[in-house]
Amino acid sequence: MMRKELAYAGAAGALAAALVAAGSQIAAAQEAHAVNPAPMAPPAGVAPGSFADIIQRVAPAVVAIEVEEKAPLQSAMIQGQDPLGELRRMFPDLPGLPEMPRPGPVHGAGSGFFVSPDGYLVTNNHVVRDAQKITVRTADDRTFPARVIGRDPATDLAVLKVDGHDFPYVNFEDRARPRVGDWVVAVGNPFGLSGTATAGIVSSLKRPNISGSSYVDYMQIDAPINRGNSGGPTFDVYGRVVGVNSAIFTPSGGSVGIGFDIPADVADRVVKQLISGGKVVRGFIGATVQDVTPEIAQSLGVRAHDGALVAEVTPGGPSDRAGLKMGDLIERVDGRPVRSAAELTRAVALVHPGQVLRLNVRRDGRSVALSVTAGVRPAEADLANGAVPQGSSHAAPGTLGLMIAPNPGGGVRIEQVDPASDAAQKGLRPGDVIQALNGRRINSMADVAAAMQAARAEHRKEVLLLVMRDGRHIYVPVKPMGAG
C-alpha cells in the first residue's frame, strides 16, 4: 500500500547552485513602495493569457534562502564514520579515547520574500529553525548574510533581516479573500532552482489540522510546489501575496499537485508582531479543551461539533480564577459561537493580554456566564513540558499592553510588552520599572489598578508613566489599548 505523508516544502536536502535568475531588473523596484501596490488584473471571468506581467513585477522581491546547520555528533556513528563508535557506546568515560569525528555541516534550502525596503523578509520557521548560518540570494544573484529577527513555531513563520536598503518588496493581500477556483502563482526556490514560477488554482480553503497547528486553517492550492518552495509567496492575479507556501501532501517526497499555504491574513498578523517585538504575544486563559465528538455530544445532550469541552484547567491560571471547571462546555466567546477546540484557541490567541473575555458555558445542563481576564500564552515548548506560569505576573489593567510583576526594589517591573500597544510604540521594554503613574507612586498591581481607575474618572486619553531604566528616570506618555 502506498504511504501518504505530509512533507514540508523545503527545509532539508542538498543545496544546488541557483540556476535560473528572475527576469525582472532590481532597478525597477527602487521606489519607496511595494512592487505590488495596484497591479492590473484580467477582466472578470476571463482566464489570463499569460502570467508573465505579474511574475515580472513581483519576482524581484522573492529570494532563495541557503541554510547551514551543525551536524549532531551522533550522526558520525550512524553514518559509519566513527570506527570506535561501539567502544564509545560501551565505555563512554574510557580515558584516552580520541575525540569522535564530527561530520561536516548539513545544508538546506528554502524560499522567502521581502516585506520592507530595508531588508525584512518572511520565510518558514522550519527553514531556519536549526540554522547556524543563513545566506539570502536575491533575484539579481546578490548574496547577503541574514539573521533571525523572530520565529513563531505555532504558525511555522519566521522573519529574517539583511542589511541594506531599497530592496523590492511586496505587500500581503488585505483587500479581498481568495475563493476556491481563483488563479494563483507560486514563486520560489524548488531544489535550488531560484526564480521558479508555477501556476494553478485555489483548491480548498480552511483546511484544519494540516501541521498540528491550532492557529492556521490552511489554503490548499494545486500550483506545483516542491522541496525548497517553503517560505515562498503565492500571489493572486493582482500580484498580491495571498499565502506563504508551507507544506505538501505527497506519497513520494515530490509534488503531486497538493500544496498548503498559510493564509495571508494570518501571516500578516504574525509577521508584524515578529518585526516589532521578535515574538508573537497571544492571549491565554489556562484551559485545555477538546472537540465535541458525536459520542461526547450524545452523553452531554448537545449537538456534535458545537462548543469546546474543557478537559483541564491550569491551577491558579486565568480560567481557574474566573471559575471555569473541568467538564464545562464553552459555547460562545464574546457572543460568537464556538464550533471546535481550535476555533476557541484562535479566538483566545487573538485577544490582548489583560483583555476580558466573556464566556458562555454549559454546566450540568444550565448556562453559566463567566468573565476571564486573558494572560500571556507561554511558548509552545513550555506548554508541551507543562511549564505554565501560575500568576507570577499580571496584565496591567486598562489595559496598557503590559505584563507586570512586583519589583524587589520598589515599583513594578515590565515583563512583556504587547507589540500592538502604544507602550511598544513609545519604546517601553521588558526590564523597565514603572515607579509612578500620573504622579501616583506604584508598588503593586493594586496601585496600578487604582491609578488607572482615577485616570478613567478624569477622562484622560493617556497616562504618564515614570519609568526607571538603567538607573535613569524617564517620563513616558502611554495611551491605553482601546482608547480613542
Side-chain angles (χ1 to χ4, degrees):
M1 182 176 179
M2 181 175 290
R3 182 171 66 90
K4 296 180 179 178
E5 60 182 10
L6 186 73
Y8 285 123
L15 281 179
L19 302 178
V20 181
S24 188
Q25 294 297 320
I26 276 287
Q30 297 301 309
E31 304 164 333
H33 55 73
V35 297
N36 63 340
M40 297 297 294
V46 178
S50 171
F51 296 102
D53 289 341
I54 298 169
I55 295 168
Q56 184 178 22
R57 188 163 192 174
V58 300
V62 183
V63 302
I65 297 175
E66 302 168 359
V67 174
E68 186 175 299
E69 302 171 6
K70 188 176 183 179
L73 279 171
Q74 291 82 354
S75 64
M77 289 187 280
I78 294 172
Q79 297 171 10
Q81 298 173 5
D82 183 15
L84 301 178
E86 186 63 28
L87 192 60
R88 295 181 200 280
R89 281 191 291 268
M90 295 176 62
F91 306 102
D93 299 322
L94 185 66
L97 278 179
E99 183 178 349
M100 186 171 69
R102 181 183 293 276
V106 176
H107 295 274
S111 303
F113 55 100
F114 286 112
V115 291
S116 74
D118 56 346
Y120 286 98
L121 59 97
V122 176
T123 187
N124 281 148
N125 173 65
H126 74 258
V127 171
V128 298
R129 176 179 50 215
D130 300 316
Q132 286 198 313
K133 179 181 179 182
I134 305 172
T135 302
V136 167
R137 186 179 300 274
T138 62
D140 61 346
D141 210 29
R142 292 182 294 163
T143 59
F144 298 86
R147 63 186 184 276
V148 176
I149 296 299
R151 300 188 296 109
D152 184 40
T155 56
D156 193 27
L157 288 166
V159 171
L160 309 181
K161 179 73 167 64
V162 301
D163 293 330
H165 55 84
D166 295 332
F167 291 105
Y169 68 100
V170 289
N171 289 322
F172 285 106
E173 155 61 12
D174 60 0
R175 288 159 283 190
R177 296 292 179 264
R179 301 173 301 163
V180 174
D182 281 350
W183 284 103
V184 289
V185 179
V187 183
N189 180 46
F191 305 114
L193 300 169
S194 61
T196 296
T198 55
I201 64 169
V202 176
S203 303
S204 183
L205 297 171
K206 296 185 179 299
R207 291 288 194 201
N209 304 320
I210 293 300
S211 66
S213 172
S214 299
Y215 303 107
V216 183
D217 281 344
Y218 286 81
M219 178 175 69
Q220 181 183 329
I221 64 173
D222 72 353
I225 56 176
N226 287 279
R227 296 187 181 276
N229 273 111
S230 278
T234 291
F235 299 96
D236 63 9
V237 293
Y238 294 86
R240 300 173 302 199
V241 179
V242 294
V244 180
N245 299 323
S246 184
I248 58 175
F249 187 68
T250 173
S252 61
S255 174
V256 294
I258 300 178
F260 299 100
D261 276 25
I262 303 163
D265 58 336
V266 174
D268 189 25
R269 192 163 53 240
V270 170
V271 166
K272 285 177 179 175
Q273 289 202 51
L274 292 177
I275 290 176
S276 63
K279 62 182 178 181
V280 177
V281 177
R282 294 184 171 92
F284 178 69
I285 62 171
T288 301
V289 294
Q290 65 185 72
D291 290 334
V292 178
T293 64
E295 294 79 10
I296 292 175
Q298 186 176 13
S299 67
L300 294 176
V302 299
R303 293 186 304 177
H305 311 300
D306 275 357
L309 185 64
V310 179
E312 187 176 358
V313 177
T314 303
S319 290
D320 188 31
R321 294 194 295 269
L324 193 69
K325 299 179 182 299
M326 290 175 56
D328 284 349
L329 180 66
I330 302 176
E331 299 180 312
R332 290 179 176 270
V333 176
D334 288 339
R336 296 186 297 274
V338 173
R339 296 182 177 85
S340 67
E343 192 172 289
L344 175 66
T345 300
R346 284 195 293 271
V348 172
L350 288 174
V351 305
H352 299 294
Q355 183 175 331
V356 176
L357 288 166
R358 300 186 308 278
L359 305 184
N360 294 101
V361 307
R362 178 177 291 273
R363 178 186 297 166
D364 299 328
R366 59 189 179 88
S367 295
V368 178
L370 301 173
S371 295
V372 182
T373 301
V376 175
R377 185 175 180 85
E380 300 303 312
D382 291 338
L383 286 175
N385 295 329
V388 180
Q390 301 183 9
S392 60
S393 61
H394 302 275
T399 175
L400 297 174
L402 304 173
M403 292 296 292
I404 58 177
N407 186 59
V412 292
R413 184 180 67 258
I414 297 176
E415 302 263 306
Q416 296 189 53
V417 182
D418 188 333
S421 67
D422 186 57
Q425 299 299 316
K426 297 294 176 57
L428 290 179
R429 59 191 189 218
D432 288 347
V433 176
I434 302 173
Q435 295 193 321
L437 193 159
N438 284 349
R440 293 171 173 248
R441 299 298 298 180
I442 299 296
N443 287 298
S444 67
M445 184 72 172
D447 291 342
V448 177
M452 290 297 298
Q453 184 176 1
R456 285 193 295 271
E458 296 170 4
H459 304 290
R460 297 196 185 190
K461 292 186 177 181
E462 290 188 329
V463 296
L464 188 63
L465 305 182
L466 176 62
V467 176
M468 185 173 68
R469 176 186 298 165
D470 299 330
R472 301 180 61 184
H473 288 89
I474 55 173
Y475 280 101
V476 182
V478 174
K479 181 183 295 184
M481 300 183 73

